[in-house]
Amino acid sequence: MHKSAYGIVFWGVLRRESLRFIYQRSRFFSALVRPLLWLLVFAAGFRSVLGIAILPPYETYITYEQYIAPGLMAMILLFNGMQSSLSMVYDREMGSMKVLLMSPLPRGYLLFTKVLASALVALPQVYTFLVIAWFLGIQPDWFGYVTVLPSLLLTGILVASLGLILASLIKQLENFAGVMNFVVFPMFFMSSALYPLWRMRESSEWLYWVCLWNPFTHAVELIRFSLHSKFNLDAIIILAPVTLILMLLAIWSFDPQRGLSGRLLKSKS
Amino acid sequence: MLLEVKHVDFNFGDRQALVDVCLSLQVGGFYALLGPNGAGKSTLFALLNRFYPLQHGSIKLAGKELHSASSDILSNVGMVFQQSALDLDLTIYENLRYHCAIQGMSSKQSEQAIKEQLQRFDLSDHKLRQVRHLNGGHRRRVELARALLHKPSLLLLDEPSVGLDRASRTQLLAYVHLLREEENLTVLWATHILEEVSATDDVIVLSKGRVLAHENAQRLAQRSASAMLADSYADLIGETHA
C-alpha cells in the first residue's frame, strides 16, 4: 500500500466523524449547553462559597468562573470522548466498524485514526465555548488560545482512548448509562475541575489522593496552565505516558483478532 | 485458484464452529455457500475477512497465506454483510466516498469508481439521499456498489437477501451474476434459501461447521432419487441433524 494511503485513510475517517457530528446538531448544542450551564448557573451559585486563593498559574485573585473554565473545557472533551465511545458501540452493532476493519491498512493505524479523529472533532466545540465564555468575562490572553491547543488535543486523545476501551467492554448500547455513573461523573468530580485540590484535602485526605491519581486532574491542570501560556511539566510527565498507555490498550482492545472486542464478537456468533 | 481453504477448524471455547473445512474457489466462479442458520457460514466469512484469527488450517488467497500476509491482501476482498453496514446518517455518496478513503483510493480514483458504480446500480439520481430514507432493496444495492468500489477479485456476500422481498432478491442475484460475468469476479454467496441457487452454480453445503458437499448444483441434485436439489440438500442436512 502506498504511503499516501495512510493520509487518505486519516482524512476519510476524520471527514466521516465530522459529517456525523454536523448531522447530529443536537449533539453540538448539548455539548455547549452543558458547560455553559455550569458556568452561568453553578458558578453563580457557588462563587461566594468557594473563594479561590491565589494559586498557579494565576498571579492574582480570580473569580470562580475563571477557575472552572479550564475544567469545563476538559468536560467538553470528556463528554465528547464518551459520545464517540457510544458511537463506536453503535458502529460495532451496525457493522460500520467491520467496514473500517476491512481496510487494507494495519488495524492499529485504523484505530489510531479513529481516536485522533474523535479528539479533533471535539476541538471546535471547545473553541466555540471559549468564544461564548469571552463574552461572559473569561478572557485569557489571545496567545493562550493558541498555546492551549496541544493540551486540548492530548486530553482529547486521552478521553477518546478511554472511550474506545469502554466501547470494547460494553456489549450493548443499553449498558452505556453505567459508564456515566461509574466513569464520567467520578472522573469529573474527583478532579480539580470544580475545586482546587487543597480544598478537597481540607475535607478528606484520601479523596485528595484519589483526585491526585486521577489523570483527568492533570489534564485539567495542563489546560489551565496552557490557557495562560504557561507550561506545566508535572502534568505533562503524568499525562503523556498515561495517554500513550491508554491509546495502545484501546488499539489492542478493539482489534477483533486480539482484544476484548473480539471476545464480544465471538460470543455473539 | 483464487481461494483455497484447507483443513480449517475454529472453536468458540468448547463449541466447534468449523470442523476440517476444505474448499477451493476458481477465478470467475459463482459459489453458493448453502447451509442452515448456525452452520458456520458467518464464522467462515469472519475468517476470510481476518476478523477472527486462524486457529488451525490454512487459507490462501491469490496464492498468499491470508492470515500471515500484510494487511494489503484485504484489498482483494469485497464484502456485503448480513446486516446492513451503511452509515444511516450519511448520504449514499458520502458512504461510498468514505469506503474509497478507507481503501486508500485517491480522490480522482474515488470519483471515477463512485460514478461507475452509481451508474451501474442505477443510483446516480439518489446519490445525495440519506441512507436512512432508502428502502431495503436500495440499501443492498448501495452495499453491493460499495463492496465493488476498490475492484476486489473476491466478493463475499453473507446472506445478502435477508429482509428483501422476492422481487428485490431476484434482482440482486441477477446483478451479482452479471457482475461476475463482466468483471470476472469470484463470488461466494452465502444463503439458506435454495431458490437462490441456479443449476449452473457451484454449491458448497455447510452444516454444523462441516463441508458436506462441494460440487455443481446439477450434480448435487442427482444425488437424490427425485433429482431435485432441495431433496439432495434435505438428505445431506438431515444426515447431520439426525
Side-chain angles (χ1 to χ4, degrees):
Chain A
M1 187 60 59
H2 197 267
K3 277 180 185 164
S4 65
Y6 286 81
I8 293 170
V9 170
F10 171 68
W11 284 114
V13 173
L14 179 61
R15 189 167 183 270
R16 184 221 182 212
E17 296 301 317
S18 306
L19 282 172
R20 279 171 63 91
F21 181 75
I22 291 165
Y23 290 146
Q24 296 167 358
R25 287 185 193 90
S26 58
R27 187 175 150 192
F28 180 65
F29 288 113
S30 63
L32 276 181
V33 165
R34 197 181 299 114
L36 285 173
L37 267 177
W38 281 86
L39 191 64
L40 287 166
V41 182
F42 183 85
F46 280 79
R47 71 189 307 180
S48 53
V49 182
L50 295 163
I52 302 295
I54 298 173
L55 72 172
Y58 308 109
E59 287 158 0
T60 180
Y61 287 100
I62 53 161
T63 63
Y64 184 57
E65 283 88 340
Q66 280 172 304
Y67 177 80
I68 65 167
L72 297 179
M73 290 159 70
M75 180 203 226
I76 295 173
L77 296 169
L78 179 62
F79 275 85
N80 181 77
M82 293 310 118
Q83 179 70 43
S84 58
S85 169
L86 184 67
S87 298
M88 276 187 240
V89 177
Y90 177 81
D91 279 357
R92 197 183 57 213
E93 295 215 337
M94 296 303 290
S96 314
M97 205 58 177
K98 286 183 185 170
V99 175
L100 175 68
L101 297 179
M102 281 205 66
S103 163
L105 267 69
R107 287 190 176 148
Y109 177 75
L110 297 172
L111 293 165
F112 168 71
T113 59
K114 198 82 173 140
V115 168
L116 190 57
S118 163
L120 288 170
V121 163
L123 295 182
Q125 300 171 53
V126 178
Y127 276 98
T128 307
F129 168 78
L130 278 172
V131 169
I132 298 170
W134 191 88
F135 291 103
L136 299 171
I138 315 297
Q139 297 171 344
D141 184 59
W142 70 268
F143 194 54
Y145 291 99
V146 179
T147 52
V148 78
L149 184 60
S151 311
L152 294 175
L153 194 58
L154 186 63
T155 306
I157 292 172
L158 171 89
V159 291
S161 302
L162 183 66
L164 195 60
I165 295 169
L166 291 170
S168 70
L169 289 167
I170 294 165
K171 287 186 180 176
Q172 291 164 327
L173 278 173
E174 291 76 17
N175 300 343
F176 211 81
V179 171
M180 298 304 282
N181 292 331
F182 294 106
V183 179
V184 176
F185 291 142
M187 223 173 148
F188 182 66
F189 289 116
M190 288 195 272
S191 76
S192 60
L194 298 177
Y195 13 73
L197 292 192
W198 62 264
R199 274 237 170 232
M200 195 64 100
R201 198 170 202 173
E202 279 180 350
S203 310
S204 164
E205 183 72 17
W206 72 265
L207 207 50
Y208 164 76
W209 283 103
V210 172
C211 295
L212 207 59
W213 279 96
N214 179 2
F216 194 70
T217 294
H218 302 283
V220 171
E221 290 312 305
L222 190 66
I223 292 170
R224 191 187 305 287
F225 274 70
S226 54
L227 187 62
H228 292 85
S229 309
K230 288 182 179 167
F231 189 64
N232 188 334
L233 184 64
D234 291 349
I236 278 279
I237 286 172
I238 294 165
L239 210 58
V242 169
T243 305
L244 183 66
I245 291 165
L246 282 181
M247 196 167 67
L248 292 175
L249 197 59
I251 289 169
W252 173 82
S253 69
F254 223 89
D255 186 337
Q257 284 230 6
R258 290 194 287 264
L260 307 167
S261 182
R263 291 216 313 261
L264 296 182
L265 277 171
K266 286 170 201 169
S267 66
K268 277 185 168 185
S269 293
Chain B
M1 190 78 64
L2 182 71
L3 181 77
E4 209 171 359
V5 178
K6 277 186 182 170
H7 308 296
V8 166
D9 295 332
F10 195 85
N11 301 323
F12 293 115
D14 297 337
R15 190 166 66 82
Q16 288 187 307
L18 296 175
V19 185
D20 197 29
V21 168
C22 296
L23 53 96
S24 51
L25 311 187
Q26 302 283 353
V27 175
F30 185 99
Y31 297 84
L33 180 64
L34 205 54
N37 291 330
K41 302 188 292 293
S42 296
T43 305
L44 179 61
F45 278 11
L47 281 169
L48 297 179
N49 290 327
R50 302 211 312 192
F51 289 155
Y52 295 164
L54 187 64
Q55 293 174 347
H56 184 263
S58 141
I59 302 176
K60 279 188 178 169
L61 179 62
K64 289 183 185 167
E65 276 295 341
L66 178 67
H67 283 251
S68 53
S70 76
S71 49
D72 280 23
I73 200 166
L74 285 174
S75 61
N76 291 305
V77 184
M79 176 80 201
V80 175
F81 295 99
Q82 190 173 355
Q83 286 175 322
S84 171
L86 294 167
D87 208 321
L88 301 181
D89 292 324
L90 304 189
T91 63
I92 293 177
Y93 173 80
E94 286 161 352
N95 266 284
L96 299 182
R97 195 75 168 81
Y98 172 62
H99 183 81
C100 289
I102 60 175
Q103 290 293 326
M105 293 164 69
S106 71
S107 195
K108 198 176 163 188
Q109 286 173 323
S110 304
E111 290 302 331
Q112 180 65 29
I114 291 170
K115 195 177 164 190
E116 268 175 37
Q117 297 306 332
L118 286 173
Q119 278 172 356
R120 169 180 271 157
F121 291 98
D122 201 16
L123 290 164
S124 301
D125 294 341
H126 305 281
K127 70 175 187 179
L128 298 180
R129 281 182 72 188
Q130 247 186 345
V131 169
R132 189 179 294 285
H133 302 303
L134 301 177
N135 62 33
H138 270 97
R139 285 188 193 185
R140 275 301 183 207
R141 273 152 65 184
V142 177
E143 296 215 55
L144 199 49
R146 179 178 65 182
L148 297 167
L149 282 168
H150 58 286
K151 299 198 184 304
S153 46
L154 174 64
L155 180 63
L156 305 173
L157 301 108
D158 189 4
E159 308 226 17
S161 56
V162 166
L164 295 184
D165 58 36
R166 201 189 180 95
S168 305
R169 216 166 61 204
T170 312
Q171 196 184 31
L172 184 70
L173 196 59
Y175 269 132
V176 175
H177 274 289
L178 189 67
L179 277 170
R180 183 188 65 82
E181 280 172 27
E182 284 179 359
E183 310 266 327
N184 201 28
L185 261 178
T186 306
V187 178
L188 184 58
W189 172 294
T191 184
H192 62 272
I193 303 168
L194 283 166
E195 285 171 38
E196 293 176 3
V197 182
S198 69
T200 54
D201 294 344
D202 282 306
V203 178
I204 300 159
V205 179
L206 190 69
S207 180
K208 291 194 170 178
R210 293 172 195 274
V211 174
L212 304 180
H214 185 353
E215 59 189 313
N216 176 269
Q218 227 163 4
R219 277 204 299 278
L220 182 60
Q222 301 298 329
R223 286 194 190 190
S224 69
S226 64
M228 301 283 284
L229 181 64
D231 291 335
S232 299
Y233 177 63
D235 288 347
L236 280 168
I237 300 299
E239 280 169 24
T240 54
H241 280 252

